[in-house]
Structure formats: structure tokens, C-alpha cells
Amino acid sequence: MNYPLHLAILVLLWGYIYTSWSVMGRLGLVSFGHGAFMGIGAYTVVMLWNYYGISPWLGALAALAFSAVVALVIGYPCFRFRIVGHYFALVTLALSEVARLVITAWRDTTGGSLGATPLGALHEGASISLAAMQFSDKRIWLAIVAACWALGLWVWHRVDRSMARLALQAISEEEEAAASIGIHVTRAKLRITLISALMTCLGGVLYAQYQLYVNPDAVSGIAISLQMVFGVIAGGMFVMVGPTVGAAFTLLLAEGLRLAFGNRYPALDTTIYGVMLVLFIIYMPKGILGAALELWRRRPIGQTFRT
Amino acid sequence: MSDIFDIYLLEAVLNGLLLGGLFALLSLGLNLVFGVIDVVWICYAELIMCGMYGVYYLHVQYHWPLLLAMAASVGIVAFLGWLLHQFVIRPVLNAEPINQLLVTGGVLFFLQAAATLVFGIEFRNLGVTLPSVRLGEMSFSAARLVAFGAALGGVIALYLFLTRTYLGTAIRAISQDRAIMPLMGVDPARIFALTSALGGALAGLGACLLVLQYDVHPAIGLSFGPITFLICVLGGLGNMVGGFIAAFVFAQFIAVGGFFFAVEWGYVIAFVFFIAVMFWRPRGILGK
């Protein structure tokens, strides 16, 4: 009972985080720096709780504020000075490495690469500690994560229907032309970056509170940032539930191979995943869901022509 | 007291200089490939890892002489560079630039996981220790001196190849104008394949020098990859002179920062410096 529940929670949690990335990623702002926001979310709540006893609910607010500052400090000059494409990806890559290195180097406080555990607040018999955001009942977590995931999809949908999306699409096609027809390029990009960064930060908070363990390599750095990018690409960047499909796909691939082969081949899933990613980007750039939808839409038209 | 302090600082600065040589060599292949083909190999550090495993296995498991194992590894990584171009880069050559960046990211995942699968997660050591060289009260690792020398040699050899040979001239020409050169009788496909093999060979050379100083393990690419890209970007992607300067600047931050604080803080300072410079010169210090 607990295992499928755990899988469902992980799929929705990562689905939410991937959706957060895709809010800006699909509009041509490919960030390799979202590991920084996830790391800020996870570590801010855990550190505030462990050292000052500040409830993770308040800690989450602090983490969001901190992420917003970082997003603005990095985003504004990036957009103001027209750092795009490769250069944007690599500047944000530096950001996620800075987050990982700071957490690792500050080892007296954060526990370094060994990671940190939020102090337990569940006393004997109790299964819920609201103030500490710790619940031993996985069903509560499922509800929380599902609510966040739904919120993420709603934001995605709102952005998709907004003028901002059209503006950003114009920007990603041709920045100078977009500016010439009166789009405020810097402001449009900054807003979407802020939304995406704050959503990712919240994902980090949930991750830390659900796993009750954080470590710099698991929540920040280049590896986790790439994981987000590729999860979205695998699932489908341009469809609302594409990122969630990507999360489900990667998780089920890993778990399926683990059930089939046990732990004999430790990295078999990522090996297969790596090959599939290369094939996806070359032959199926719209991802699993995107390609499936295209096939499904094409079929009825083909039939009408034949009759 | 202050005399001793100064000599250790000097030692850190000189070690930074040596580290800079290594970084310069690492960034060379990436810059060459970007300058000519206009593609960033995110998996570049993983190619270096393959070369390190090559040296390790040929030398330790099959008892080849070290220099022969190194030469073979350079060949192997050159071949991997060629394979990467033919099977991964070529199909996306006309796709959006960001797809080209991402496709090599998929290769990064693949190589890292395949190395875990084949070689396991153990740290492997070549077991070759070069002596340390003493200069007054300072000491330097000979492996770093060798790496520094090889880096300078590699840069000079590449420069001569690019400026003095017919193929080198063709490579430079195609990097300047991709559309016109086919009309002049240069076959871009061949030049691209050749450049990729050359970039691979430079990664292989970097691997030979790294394996003398560091243990090899599947995740080693993640510790050298980011710094290598940032050096190339800081210098101006595709600009080899810029990359060279940036390598030494970065190495100083890491060495001197590591001297005053801890090594990680040295990296933090270097990365923050990188972000700040990008705001000042978005195309790198010597970028177009």
C-alpha cells in the first residue's frame, strides 16, 4: 500500500517541479540554474527549522523571498544585456553550481555533502505535526503534492492563455523585432522567470519535508538542473501535462528495471534513459506526449481522405 | 611570521598558474569544436572521463607501458569525438542551437551511466606517483608541471596546425564562413568530422594529464565539466586566446581563494566572478 503511494507522490512532486521549469523553458528560456532555486527552497526551510525552530510554513515564505531576490539579481542583468541561448544556459549553470558549492562549503552549518535531516517533531503515537510540516501518513502528502501539482498546471494554463506567452514567443523568435513592436523584453522575461523560480523553490521545500533528508547533490548543482531539463524534453515541452508524463516515465523506467533486474545493474536505467534522450531530441523533439498527441490528431484526417 | 605567510601565498599563486595550464588545455578542444562547428559539447568532460578510464585499463589491467596507453587513449577519444559528431551532432546540425546543446547533454547522461554500469562506482587510481619538485621552501607536484608543459605544447601545436597546414587553413576558413567555403571546394562535412576528431584528441590529451593527478570515477566529469564550459564562455566561446586567459584567471581564483578559505569557496568566488563578468561583457572578455 505504501509503495504505490510513495511512487504516486514522487511522480506528482517531480511532475510539479518539471512543470515549473517548463513554464519558462518552453518559451526559449532554457535555464540550467533551477537546481539553485530547488536547493534554496530545501535548505532554507531545513536550516531555519533546525537552528531557530522556525516552522517550515514560515521558512517556506523566507525561501520564496530569497529565491525571488536571486532570480531578480541574476535575471535582470541577463535580460537587460541580452544574454540568450547558449550563454543564458551557461550563466544559469554557473548559478546552480554556486548554490551547490556554497551548501557544500558551508559544512559546519549545513552538514556539507553528507546532507542534513530536519529535526524530528513526531512524538510517540502522533503521526502529524502541523507546525513542523511533518506527516507520517503518506496520504496527507499525496493530498499536499497533488494540490501543488494542480496549482502548477493552473499556472501553466494561465501563462499559456496570457498575452505574456505571445510576447515571449515573439521574443524567442526574434528579440529585436519583438522589442520594435513595443514588447518590453526585459520585463516580460523577468516576470516569467520569477514565476518559474518561485514554483521550483516551493518544489524544493516539499521535497525536503517529504524526504526528511536533503543533500547538496540531490537538490542543487548541474546534475539536478539537467534532470529537470531532460524530464521535460522526454515528456513533451509544449503540452500541459508533458512534464508530468516525463516524470512518470523516468520514475517508472527506473523502478521497472529495478524490479526486473534487482540491483545487479545499478545505472541501467540512466544508460537507457540517456540513449532515449538523444533519440528523442533528434527524432521526436516534441517528447512522448507531444508525439502521441500528434499521431492521434493526424489519424482521423488520414481516414477522411481515404474514404 | 609574515615571511612564511608570503611564501605560502606565492606557492598558491604558482600552483594556480600550473592549474591554469591544465584548464587551458581542457578548454582548448571545446573551443575548437565550438569555433568551427558552432556546437557546445556539454558531454566534453565525459569524453575526458572515457580517456581516463582508457589509460587506467590499458596500463593497470593490460600492463601496457604508460606512454603507449596514453597514446592509445588519445586515439580512442579522438574516435569517440568523431562518433559523437557523425551520429549525434550531424542529425541536429540544422536544428535550433539549444537542441544541439541538449542532445550532447543526453550523451552526458549516457556516458556517465554507462561508465557506472561497466566500471562500477569505485575510485580508480593509476598508482603512478610523480615526485614533487622543491623550489626553495615551496613544493610543486611534478604531475602539474608536466600538465602545464603539455598544455603549452598542445596550444603551440594546435596553433601551428591551424596556421601552417592546408587542412588547418580550411578549418579556419570554414569557421569564418560556412556558406561560401563549399563553393571554394572545401567539403564542410569532412572538415567538421576532422575537427570533431581533433577536439576528441585534445580531450584525450587532457585525460592523460588528469589521470596522473586525480582518481577516475564515473562522476568525475561533473567536477571538471562546469568549470571547463565557464572558462570557454568567459573567454568568448570559440576564442582560443580568450579561453587561455580565462583559464589562468579562473585558476588563480581557485588557488588563492582556496588558500585563504577552503577549495569550494575558491570555486564559489570564481563562479560569482564569472557571472559578474558576463553582465559586463556578455560575449566573454575577448568575444565578438
Side-chain angles (χ1 to χ4, degrees):
Chain A
M1 179 55 214
N2 256 347
Y3 177 67
L5 207 54
H6 175 67
L7 276 187
I9 292 170
L10 285 186
V11 166
L12 289 179
L13 178 58
W14 285 110
Y16 166 71
I17 293 171
Y18 294 174
T19 306
S20 314
W21 183 88
S22 78
V23 164
M24 69 186 279
R26 77 187 191 107
L27 294 168
L29 295 166
V30 174
S31 153
F32 284 178
H34 272 47
F37 301 117
M38 193 174 165
I40 288 172
Y43 267 89
T44 307
V45 285
V46 175
M47 292 301 119
L48 287 178
W49 170 248
N50 282 3
Y51 287 98
Y52 301 103
I54 295 171
S55 162
W57 298 99
L58 292 174
L61 291 180
L64 288 172
F66 188 17
S67 289
V69 171
V70 172
L72 292 177
V73 165
I74 295 297
Y76 180 75
C78 265
F79 303 142
R80 181 73 187 70
F81 299 123
R82 301 279 156 86
I83 295 175
V84 293
H86 288 128
Y87 287 87
F88 182 69
L90 292 167
V91 167
T92 50
L93 177 104
L95 173 68
S96 64
E97 280 294 293
V98 166
R100 184 181 70 85
L101 287 163
V102 166
I103 294 169
T104 314
W106 207 350
R107 52 176 59 84
D108 295 341
T109 310
T110 59
S113 44
L114 294 176
T117 311
L119 296 176
L122 298 177
H123 305 293
E124 296 164 51
S127 66
I128 293 176
S129 170
L130 200 58
M133 211 197 272
Q134 292 179 14
F135 314 104
S136 64
D137 190 342
K138 287 203 190 306
R139 282 171 303 179
I140 298 179
W141 273 114
L142 185 67
I144 295 176
V145 171
C148 265
W149 175 73
L151 175 81
L153 292 188
W154 179 75
V155 172
W156 194 99
H157 181 76
R158 280 295 301 268
V159 171
D160 191 52
R161 288 298 156 90
S162 66
M163 280 295 286
R165 203 247 324 176
L166 296 175
L168 281 158
Q169 236 163 16
I171 291 170
S172 73
E173 301 260 323
E174 176 69 67
E175 198 155 315
E176 308 297 327
S180 76
I181 55 168
I183 295 172
H184 196 309
V185 174
T186 306
R187 193 185 299 158
K189 283 182 170 179
L190 212 50
R191 269 167 67 189
I192 203 79
T193 305
L194 203 55
I195 292 172
S196 174
L198 291 179
M199 286 168 73
T200 311
C201 170
L202 187 61
V205 172
L206 293 177
Y207 177 90
Q209 293 302 125
Y210 175 64
Q211 300 279 10
L212 289 178
Y213 171 70
V214 286
N215 117 23
D217 297 298
V219 295
S220 61
I222 172 176
I224 200 78
S225 304
L226 284 175
Q227 186 190 321
M228 289 183 209
V229 180
F230 289 120
V232 175
I233 289 174
M237 202 188 288
F238 304 101
V239 208
M240 181 160 68
V241 285
T244 313
V245 169
F249 171 76
T250 48
L251 213 67
L252 296 181
L253 180 71
E255 292 298 311
L257 288 170
R258 204 164 61 83
L259 289 179
F261 296 105
N263 288 324
R264 257 180 301 157
Y265 305 111
L268 187 62
D269 61 314
T270 15
T271 311
I272 296 175
Y273 184 49
V275 174
M276 293 183 81
L277 282 175
V278 173
L279 295 176
F280 278 153
I281 298 167
I282 297 176
Y283 300 107
M284 221 164 85
K286 288 186 177 160
I288 299 171
L289 192 63
L293 282 177
E294 207 165 65
L295 273 180
W296 188 72
R297 269 184 209 138
R298 211 181 279 161
R299 199 187 46 180
I301 301 169
Q303 280 166 350
T304 24
F305 271 111
R306 232 172 280 141
T307 48
Chain B
M1 183 66 207
S2 70
D3 291 316
I4 298 167
F5 184 79
D6 283 341
I7 201 132
Y8 285 136
L9 181 59
L10 183 63
E11 187 184 53
V13 170
L14 291 177
N15 265 317
L17 198 65
L18 296 182
L19 186 66
L22 185 64
F23 283 164
L25 182 68
L26 292 183
S27 65
L28 209 56
L30 196 63
N31 257 335
L32 176 72
V33 170
F34 182 84
V36 177
I37 314 178
D38 219 0
V39 167
V40 179
W41 284 0
I42 284 281
C43 60
Y44 185 74
E46 275 60 33
L47 292 181
I48 294 176
M49 173 199 72
C50 293
M52 291 173 80
Y53 272 114
V55 177
Y56 172 80
Y57 271 89
L58 290 177
H59 180 65
V60 175
Q61 304 283 58
Y62 297 102
H63 307 294
W64 288 26
L66 185 59
L67 285 177
L68 189 63
M70 285 180 164
S73 298
V74 171
I76 292 170
V77 185
F79 179 63
L80 287 179
W82 179 82
L83 279 182
L84 177 69
H85 182 76
Q86 295 295 325
F87 292 99
V88 178
I89 303 294
R90 254 175 79 154
V92 291
L93 213 47
N94 295 316
E96 285 180 53
I98 205 71
N99 279 11
Q100 299 166 350
L101 188 76
L102 294 174
V103 81
T104 61
V107 177
L108 180 155
F109 268 86
F110 168 70
L111 286 178
Q112 203 185 331
T116 313
L117 201 60
V118 177
F119 304 121
I121 53 165
E122 293 85 9
F123 282 52
R124 313 224 177 229
N125 191 299
L126 199 56
V128 177
T129 11
L130 296 178
S132 61
V133 178
R134 294 198 65 81
L135 182 75
E137 286 180 59
M138 302 175 284
S139 71
F140 304 99
S141 106
R144 283 199 167 169
L145 284 172
V146 171
F148 185 75
L152 284 185
V155 170
I156 292 167
L158 186 69
Y159 177 77
L160 289 178
F161 171 73
L162 288 178
T163 50
R164 299 291 159 85
T165 63
Y166 178 78
L167 270 178
T169 311
I171 289 178
R172 283 188 300 130
I174 211 112
S175 73
Q176 280 170 9
D177 198 325
R178 248 200 241 188
I180 295 294
M181 284 323 286
L183 303 176
M184 309 281 171
V186 178
D187 177 11
R190 224 182 107 230
I191 294 295
F192 284 178
L194 182 81
T195 307
S196 299
L198 201 57
L202 287 167
L205 186 59
C208 294
L209 301 171
L210 277 178
V211 81
L212 288 175
Q213 300 178 46
Y214 301 94
D215 293 351
V216 54
H217 57 98
I220 192 158
L222 292 183
S223 44
F224 285 103
I227 191 107
T228 311
F229 306 127
L230 300 189
I231 285 168
C232 293
V233 176
L234 185 69
L237 264 173
N239 186 319
M240 286 182 220
V241 180
F244 216 71
I245 297 171
F248 285 100
V249 172
F250 255 64
Q252 279 314 324
F253 274 112
I254 291 164
V256 177
F259 172 76
F260 282 113
F261 311 104
V263 184
E264 287 99 348
W265 287 115
Y267 276 91
V268 170
I269 297 167
F271 286 7
V272 170
F273 169 77
F274 164 80
I275 295 176
V277 171
M278 288 312 285
F279 296 155
W280 168 55
R281 290 196 60 93
R283 291 279 172 266
I285 35 183
L286 290 187
K288 286 163 252 177

